[in-house]
DNA sequence: GCGCTTTTTGCTGCGGCGCAACATAAATGT
DNA sequence: ACATTTATGTTGCGCCGCAGCAAAAAGCGC
């Protein structure tokens, strides 16, 4: 787990946004999936913060032009999730854009700051693999490990 | 992680229920907490299955006498949760009774069978500790790790 | 037992979450 | 151009979770 996995509050936001959008376009093109305007807007909304947003918060954010219905946003979110472009934070019933600082087949650990709400995304590494192995030892065939750790991030602790 | 952490579908259900109720009584008595009829009924409902139940399912189950309001069940669930007698399964928005096959201060791993819905509760052991350590290395102060693994349990796989 | 405080439960109401079912529009393929 | 697939819009609904206040019950000192 690297030491830079948690986004600094003052980092260059447009840079990672542009990179993520470019990645999304390439990824969809490669898989013959369509990154429609709706889907792109939802993704961009999530990219504008590293905090998890609920579907209704996304709606609020997009409301300035033509407020989409909840189901529309949920469909876009499902598409993005199926394509690995966003993650769902189960403990928050909310979504974050994937920042791709991990291998695609890696188990991901979410670090959720209780103070500022920012979510860091870290490769699970050997610990996550060990969990899977232990589960298998109990006769359990794991599909999708879910690891979320709430706490206080380094930037908030310094304040 | 022991090999018996996942409850067999045909195990003696009354035995573990009685044990858990006895534990709950002792635990509450020791802490001057009151295991009221309402709270006991909610706990018993959860103990009657190893599957996670939503609050409204619990209401349905208790409806034969005097249907409690949602808020009543949520309050009982919060009490039970605060006292470590039930766990919330975040990925299901539901609750399971704690089976206490782990140390109280252990990080718990939930194994959730996608076929039968049964939830196994396992001590996280060294892997969970390693996750905490790695999070700290990234400057993150972890509070409450949440680990849920969906998959297929051994009993369902044999079928 | 009697009043007082604390705890628990009941009641009303509400907002967020998540999607099913169906209709319409847009893109794609031939 | 046409049929087929895919995406979006519309309506509606059920579950989740709790705030705010009122009533009842339990504990406590006297």
């Amino acid at each position: 787990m690297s030491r830079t996995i948690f986004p600094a509050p003052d980092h260059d936001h447009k840079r990672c946004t542009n990179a993520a959008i470019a990645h999304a376009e390439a990824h969809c093109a490669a898989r013959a999936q369509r990154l429609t305007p709706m889907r792109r807007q939802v993704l961009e909304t999530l990219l504008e913060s590293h905090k998890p947003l609920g579907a209704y918060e996304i709606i609020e954010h997009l409301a300035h032009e033509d407020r989409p219905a909840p189901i529309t946003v949920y469909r876009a979110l499902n598409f993005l999730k199926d394509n690995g472009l966003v993650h769902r934070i189960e403990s928050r019933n909310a979504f974050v854009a994937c920042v791709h600082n991990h291998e695609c087949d890696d188990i991901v650990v979410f670090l959720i700051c209780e103070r500022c709400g920012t979510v860091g995304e870290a490769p699970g590494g050997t610990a996550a693999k060990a969990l899977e192995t232990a589960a298998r030892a109990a006769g359990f065939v794991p599909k999708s490990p879910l690891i979320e750790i709430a706490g206080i991030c380094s930037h908030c602790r310094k304040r």
Side-chain angles (χ1 to χ4, degrees), chain A residues 22-90:
Chain A
H23 173 274
E25 281 174 347
H27 181 86
C28 288
R31 294 173 56 169
Q33 299 281 286
R34 284 150 56 186
L35 189 64
T36 63
M38 183 80 249
R39 291 164 179 172
R40 176 192 287 259
Q41 285 174 47
V42 170
L43 179 58
E44 283 171 345
T45 300
L46 288 175
L47 283 166
E48 282 171 22
S49 90
H50 286 287
K51 302 176 182 27
L53 297 182
Y56 286 66
E57 290 177 281
I58 296 171
I59 291 174
E60 219 52 48
H61 187 271
L62 298 179
H64 59 272
E65 18 194 280
D66 196 20
R67 171 178 295 248
I71 182 68
T72 300
V73 171
Y74 278 107
R75 281 192 285 229
L77 285 169
N78 282 335
F79 170 89
L80 296 169
K81 191 158 122 64
D82 290 345
N83 287 277
L85 301 172
V86 307
H87 299 286
R88 184 178 159 77
I89 307 296
E90 298 288 348

Side-chain angles (χ1 to χ4, degrees), chain A residues 23 27 31 83-85 87 98 100-108 121 123:
Chain A
H23 173 274
H27 181 86
R31 294 173 56 169
N83 287 277
L85 301 172
H87 299 286
C98 177
H100 302 291
N101 63 5
H102 54 81
E103 297 302 311
C104 281
D105 59 345
D106 237 334
I107 297 165
V108 171
E121 193 182 342

Side-chain angles (χ1 to χ4, degrees), chain A residues 71-150:
Chain A
I71 182 68
T72 300
V73 171
Y74 278 107
R75 281 192 285 229
L77 285 169
N78 282 335
F79 170 89
L80 296 169
K81 191 158 122 64
D82 290 345
N83 287 277
L85 301 172
V86 307
H87 299 286
R88 184 178 159 77
I89 307 296
E90 298 288 348
S91 60
R92 294 280 203 278
N93 286 344
F95 299 82
V96 287
C98 177
V99 293
H100 302 291
N101 63 5
H102 54 81
E103 297 302 311
C104 281
D105 59 345
D106 237 334
I107 297 165
V108 171
V109 176
F110 297 105
L111 303 177
I112 308 164
C113 180
E114 292 179 336
R115 185 120 13 126
C116 67
T118 302
V119 170
E121 193 182 342
T126 54
K129 290 272 193 304
L131 279 174
E132 280 219 33
T133 305
R136 275 215 178 73
F140 194 85
V141 182
K143 282 243 182 69
S144 52
L146 160 66
I147 307 178
E148 299 176 7
I149 306 183

Side-chain angles (χ1 to χ4, degrees), chain A residues 113 115 152-159:
Chain A
C113 180
R115 185 120 13 126
I152 304 293
C153 77
S154 55
H155 313 107
C156 282
R157 197 153 51 96
K158 280 175 198 150
R159 276 199 297 104

